[in-house]
Amino acid sequence: MEIKKFAVSMVIAMVIAPSSAADLVTFIFGDSLTEVGNNNYLQLSLAKSNFPHYGVDFDGGKPTGRFTNGKTIGDIISDKLGIPPPPPYLSLSPNDDAILKGVNYASGGAGILNDTGLYFIQRLSFDDQITNFESTKQSIKAKIGEEAANKLCSQAVFFIGIGSNDYVNNFLQPFLADGQQYTHDEFLELLISTLGEQLTRLYEVGARKMVFHGLGPLGCIPSQRTKSSRGQCLGQVNEWVQQFNSKVDKLIINLNSHLPSAHLTFADTYQSVSDLINNPSAYGFKVSNTSCCKVDTKLGGLCMPNSKLCSNRSEYVFWDAFHPSEAANLVLAQRFFKTMFASSPSPAPRPSH
């Protein structure tokens, strides 16, 4: 395990050279864990967080479309790299110079499969996000020329975190077709084959340095615990997630072996998140089995404007039924950096709220 971590560290260090971090361009793909406001621009989307109490601890104390009380892990990683977090794709015009510094394509409710999150009406699936990046690439080419555009994309880092909704808002929902149509083994093969095609598609558009964040223990998030009579983690769900992570890891090894100049990395965050949930006091938390915002999981599990909040948000690992609190995101981002870099930055300060 330590040899593998070292190998991953070397790849990440090569991808994100500290000396050039200030000039780093990042493109972010994913779901509500990394969204920064794309769904605000989708008029019919039911997967939005542009209302109180979301953003209560973000700059200005107002909701931005982030599905937490403050910063996402992506925001914190950007802070550590000394770069501004990339803006949401749908907030930019095609000729906006901001596209040269990076873009966030993530969308709440998104999945690897296009039918994941269908009941949210509007969301940007991973395929949609790649299509949007293709448009960005064309705009970049129009601005700086084809050669410079190809160089920019080959040196940029593509952070990808997707797959949670394929379980939580697809396979695990008894009223949706996929959970009835497929065994888990069949569903997993569908996810992996589709993901392989999508990562190859990104490569063909110019992506070379890609970091794929594995899934955490979804069986332990509050929305899944409520399905247990005693509020415990769902072991079967966690087992499936670990099978998914293992398959993605092997997929990435395979892609690296036959895609010239590709540097894809699998960042396994399962154990870090699991340890935070199982040993919250070791990280300064008091509650990890329920959320700070008192949500109704039967009505979606989001933190509504009339929901009651806990008195100390920094003591809770989870903000709502699905998403970590900013305090948890700070810890997880720090763990990510400690794993990936031998000379880790100083520990992130815990929020005082």
Side-chain angles (χ1 to χ4, degrees), residues 36 71 76 136 194 213 220 232 264 321:
V36 294
K71 293 182 178 181
I76 298 162
T136 298
T194 304
H213 292 258
C220 294
Q232 296 178 317
L264 287 81

Side-chain angles (χ1 to χ4, degrees), residues 27-39 49 64-68 71-78 85-89 103-110 129 159-165 211 213 323-324 329:
F27 296 106
I28 298 177
F29 301 77
D31 50 34
S32 56
L33 293 173
T34 48
E35 188 190 338
V36 294
N38 277 310
N39 286 10
S49 59
T64 61
R66 289 165 170 82
F67 285 78
T68 185
K71 293 182 178 181
T72 67
I73 289 179
D75 291 327
I76 298 162
I77 289 175
S78 293
Y89 170 78
V103 180
N104 186 313
Y105 302 90
S107 172
Q129 294 176 38
F159 286 102
I160 304 158
I162 198 120
S164 294
N165 285 312
V211 180
H213 292 258
H323 308 101
N329 285 335

Side-chain angles (χ1 to χ4, degrees), residues 53-54 68-69 291-293 303 309 313 318-320 323-325:
H53 301 284
Y54 290 96
T68 185
N69 57 308
S291 59
C292 167
C293 183
C303 186
L309 302 183
R313 297 187 281 280
F318 288 97
W319 165 246
D320 61 18
H323 308 101
S325 63

Side-chain angles (χ1 to χ4, degrees), residues 3 7 24-26 28 37 48 70 75-76 125 159 170 176 191 194 202 218-219 221 246-247 284 342 345:
I3 293 175
L24 184 67
V25 175
T26 60
I28 298 177
K48 291 182 181 179
D75 291 327
I76 298 162
S125 69
F159 286 102
N170 190 339
L176 294 179
L191 286 179
T194 304
L202 264 180
L218 295 178
I221 66 176
S246 178
K247 290 275 191 180

Side-chain angles (χ1 to χ4, degrees), residues 76-129:
I76 298 162
I77 289 175
S78 293
D79 288 346
K80 287 178 173 294
L81 292 171
I83 60 176
Y89 170 78
L90 292 179
S91 72
L92 302 170
S93 63
N95 62 351
D96 197 318
D97 286 343
I99 64 173
L100 301 175
K101 295 294 185 180
V103 180
N104 186 313
Y105 302 90
S107 172
I112 294 168
L113 303 180
N114 289 329
D115 60 353
T116 287
L118 198 62
Y119 46 61
F120 295 128
I121 303 177
Q122 279 186 303
R123 73 274 179 239
L124 302 173
S125 69
F126 192 23
D127 274 331
D128 293 330
Q129 294 176 38

Side-chain angles (χ1 to χ4, degrees), residues 152-207:
L152 183 151
C153 291
S154 69
Q155 294 180 345
V157 179
F158 292 71
F159 286 102
I160 304 158
I162 198 120
S164 294
N165 285 312
D166 292 291
Y167 282 96
V168 175
N169 288 305
N170 190 339
F171 188 72
L172 297 176
Q173 293 291 355
F175 55 86
L176 294 179
D178 284 359
Q180 300 175 24
Q181 181 179 352
Y182 301 110
T183 65
H184 180 258
D185 286 347
E186 292 168 341
F187 184 71
L188 181 56
E189 287 305 315
L190 177 61
L191 286 179
I192 298 303
S193 62
T194 304
L195 180 61
E197 293 169 359
Q198 292 165 331
L199 295 178
T200 301
R201 187 178 160 205
L202 264 180
Y203 172 87
E204 290 172 347
V205 192

Side-chain angles (χ1 to χ4, degrees), residues 100 139-150 152:
L100 301 175
S139 297
I140 293 173
K141 190 160 63 172
K143 278 182 172 294
I144 62 177
E146 184 170 8
E147 184 177 349
N150 289 337
L152 183 151

